[in-house]
């Protein structure tokens, strides 16, 4: 397997080129070409000698993901459907926003969890993505959105909410975040990143001890174990009491004023009643958590058996949470028409919008 250069820090690249008999500064040049100029092929790095590039080419890959199709939503959201070198699907979503644009990346090809409301579950786990493949998704999306190597005008937010369970690929995820945070490269610091987990309690505890870490979002989807066991079978391994204990430990490691987030997908007549709102607020309050709750109306997709809760229902649910002192926000769905919204990533190519060719 050739080395994937997109997954190496500047220091690691310097070591790597020195092993090839080159001076360390060549590593810095290479890092800058890949991570700052976001170059995707060796022949674009004209400031490196041809022989060196040839030597690199034998040992290492500068890009491995191939964009198969690109979909553009009527709301401006873009979805990239890519393939790894071994033919596994990878999806990334670019979400233009008023203040700062957001890129949603995938941590796995497919997903091993079996959340009943999520389309990705139907793929099963194909494999973990490497750190290089995680970083490359961001490079592809940035180049397409702003132009090759053009700096994002207002910086970039990242969310690890695409396909897969990030905390089941913890090491590669954390490595990718380290590479992306380097100031000579993409310079997307952990403070601009939010990672969403279905509730892998030991990794939540581990994250609590990491000094430079991303923000945390935890997907709940149900206010009690009975329903959560059904909707998110991972709950049988780490039930709510254990999960919320881990969340408490994480919360205690936050700086004053910082909060983490719970996500709650709103499924019509399944988890959206007034009674369930009260249960959810009590659950959060019982664990003395200050977390806020993001309510996400379900994004429907064939053949999932659910419908989104109505706007009124979502609002009543939100008001009940607020009345019990739990901060709650309603998240606006983005990119539903191109199957780019939360829970819709399943490498699908039939959408309401035809693919638009990549530049
Ligand atoms: N595995 C991680 C990250 C991917 S899912 C996790 O579970 O958190 C990102 C978010 O989308 C989660 O909060 C999940 O509950 C939500 N989601 C999944 N399917 C959805 C759907 N069909 N509609 C709306 N949100 C969904």
């Amino acid at each position: 397997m050739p080395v994937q250069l997109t997954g190496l820090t500047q220091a690691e690249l310097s070591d790597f080129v020195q092993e090839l008999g080159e001076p360390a500064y060549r590593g810095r040049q290479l890092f800058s070409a890949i991570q700052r100029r976001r170059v995707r092929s060796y022949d674009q790095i004209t400031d490196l000698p041809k022989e060196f590039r040839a030597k690199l080419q034998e040992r290492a890959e500068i890009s491995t993901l191939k964009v198969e199709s690109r979909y553009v939503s009527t709301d401006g959201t873009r979805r990239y459907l890519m393939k790894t070198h071994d033919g596994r699907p990878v999806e990334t979503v670019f979400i233009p926003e008023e203040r700062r644009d957001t890129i949603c990346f995938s941590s796995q090809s497919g997903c091993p969890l079996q959340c009943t409301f999520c389309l990705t579950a139907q793929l099963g786990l194909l494999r973990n993505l490497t750190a290089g493949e995680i970083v490359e998704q961001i490079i592809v999306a940035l180049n397409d959105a702003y132009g090759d190597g053009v700096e994002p005008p207002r910086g970039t937010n990242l969310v690890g909410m695409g396909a897969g369970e990030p905390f089941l690929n913890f090491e590669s995820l954390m490595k990718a975040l380290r590479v992306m945070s380097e100031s000579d490269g993409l310079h997307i610091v952990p403070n601009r990143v939010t990672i969403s987990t279905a509730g892998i309690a030991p990794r939540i505890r581990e994250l609590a001890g990491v000094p430079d870490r991303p923000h945390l979002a935890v997907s709940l989807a149900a206010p009690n174990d009975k329903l959560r066991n059904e909707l998110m079978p991972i709950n049988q391994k780490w039930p709510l009491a254990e999960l919320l204990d881990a969340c408490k430990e994480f919360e205690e490691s936050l700086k004053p004023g910082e909060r983490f987030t719970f996500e709650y997908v709103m499924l019509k007549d399944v988890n959206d009643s007034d009674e369930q709102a009260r249960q959810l607020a009590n659950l959060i309050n019982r664990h003395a958590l200050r977390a806020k709750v993001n309510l996400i109306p379900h994004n429907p997709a064939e053949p999932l058996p659910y419908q989104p809760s109505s706007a009124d229902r979502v609002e009543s649910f939100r008001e009940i949470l607020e009345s019990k002192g739990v901060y709650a926000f309603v998240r606006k769905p983005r990119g539903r028409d191109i199957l780019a919204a939360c829970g819709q990533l399943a490498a699908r190519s039939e959408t309401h919008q035809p693919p638009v060719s990549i530049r």
Side-chain angles (χ1 to χ4, degrees):
M1 214 3 232
V3 181
Q4 292 179 350
L5 298 183
T6 43
L8 300 186
T9 61
Q10 191 177 50
E12 286 169 339
L13 260 184
S14 291
D15 291 346
F16 178 70
V17 301
Q18 287 179 79
E19 278 165 33
L20 299 181
E22 298 284 332
Y25 75 88
R26 291 277 183 230
R28 292 194 289 276
Q29 269 181 303
L30 194 53
F31 185 81
S32 165
I34 298 169
Q35 305 284 350
R36 187 189 278 270
R37 287 170 17 230
R38 305 195 303 258
V39 153
R40 306 254 305 140
S41 84
Y42 285 117
D43 33 282
Q44 289 171 278
I45 322 180
T46 46
D47 54 336
L48 290 181
K50 255 205 168 116
E51 310 77 72
F52 175 41
R53 281 186 268 160
K55 205 165 12 169
L56 277 173
Q57 200 142 23
E58 283 170 23
R59 297 275 306 273
E61 304 269 18
I62 192 169
S63 66
T64 63
L65 295 180
K66 207 171 142 278
V67 181
E68 296 238 302
S69 17
R70 179 179 81 136
Y71 302 87
V72 181
S73 163
T74 50
D75 71 15
T77 301
R78 301 171 183 210
R79 174 167 69 103
Y80 306 93
L81 174 55
M82 303 182 259
K83 283 272 159 77
T84 61
H85 65 88
D86 54 343
R88 305 303 195 182
V90 176
E91 282 170 294
T92 311
V93 179
F94 177 85
I95 308 152
E97 279 173 301
E98 248 163 63
R99 291 177 57 198
R100 185 179 286 114
D101 300 329
T102 299
I103 296 172
C104 175
F105 67 87
S106 294
S107 52
Q108 300 181 311
S109 180
C111 185
L113 304 184
Q114 299 184 324
C115 306
T116 55
F117 47 83
C118 179
L119 208 57
T120 311
Q122 310 211 340
L123 294 175
L125 177 65
L126 299 167
R127 71 165 168 81
N128 274 339
L129 298 180
T130 62
E133 286 163 343
I134 294 175
V135 176
E136 229 185 298
Q137 294 176 57
I138 313 308
I139 292 176
V140 166
L142 289 175
N143 280 349
D144 182 63
Y146 304 113
D148 292 350
V150 176
E151 205 173 315
R154 295 159 298 176
T156 309
N157 285 339
L158 297 187
V159 292
M161 298 188 182
E165 169 46 48
F167 282 3
L168 292 178
N169 189 15
F170 197 70
E171 217 174 295
S172 297
L173 170 77
M174 295 309 278
K175 177 68 189 298
L177 294 184
R178 270 202 304 285
V179 172
M180 293 192 285
S181 69
E182 291 211 48
S183 55
D184 288 339
L186 292 172
H187 202 189
I188 302 173
V189 295
N191 195 34
R192 292 256 158 263
V193 184
T194 302
I195 302 298
S196 176
T197 178
I200 315 298
R203 294 289 89 76
I204 295 175
R205 291 185 197 277
E206 187 174 342
L207 195 70
V210 176
D212 261 331
R213 57 165 181 240
H215 299 284
L216 176 70
V218 177
S219 304
L220 279 185
N224 59 58
D225 281 318
K226 184 170 177 291
L227 182 59
R228 199 166 187 268
N229 282 339
E230 278 170 36
L231 298 177
M232 300 181 70
I234 190 71
N235 191 66
Q236 292 159 24
K237 190 150 184 194
W238 290 290
L240 282 169
E242 204 175 329
L243 173 58
L244 296 197
D245 272 354
C247 289
K248 188 67 196 167
E249 184 175 332
F250 183 82
E251 188 171 89
E252 282 164 359
S253 77
L254 290 172
K255 297 194 196 89
E258 274 184 356
R259 290 172 193 272
F260 74 95
T261 308
F262 284 122
E263 291 157 288
Y264 193 94
V265 54
M266 300 280 300
L267 309 166
K268 183 174 191 235
D269 299 334
V270 174
N271 67 357
D272 63 353
S273 71
D274 287 353
E275 174 56 26
Q276 285 160 324
R278 285 190 285 272
Q279 258 189 36
L280 178 60
N282 292 342
L283 178 75
I284 293 172
N285 289 333
R286 199 162 60 241
H287 286 262
L289 292 162
R290 289 180 298 113
K292 62 176 186 217
V293 177
N294 271 346
L295 300 172
I296 317 176
H298 175 65
N299 296 306
E302 288 281 323
L304 300 179
Y306 302 104
Q307 289 305 314
S309 309
S310 70
D312 285 353
R313 188 88 292 278
V314 175
E315 186 48 29
S316 306
F317 198 93
R318 193 192 67 75
E319 280 168 13
I320 292 172
L321 292 178
E322 293 266 2
S323 73
K324 290 182 163 279
V326 176
Y327 285 94
F329 300 86
V330 179
R331 261 217 334 235
K332 199 170 138 211
R334 300 291 301 266
R336 271 184 179 170
D337 56 340
I338 55 164
L339 293 175
C342 288
Q344 292 188 319
L345 299 182
R348 293 257 174 109
S349 46
E350 3 34 90
T351 77
H352 293 291
Q353 311 289 339
V356 180
S357 63
I358 185 120
R359 285 171 321 106

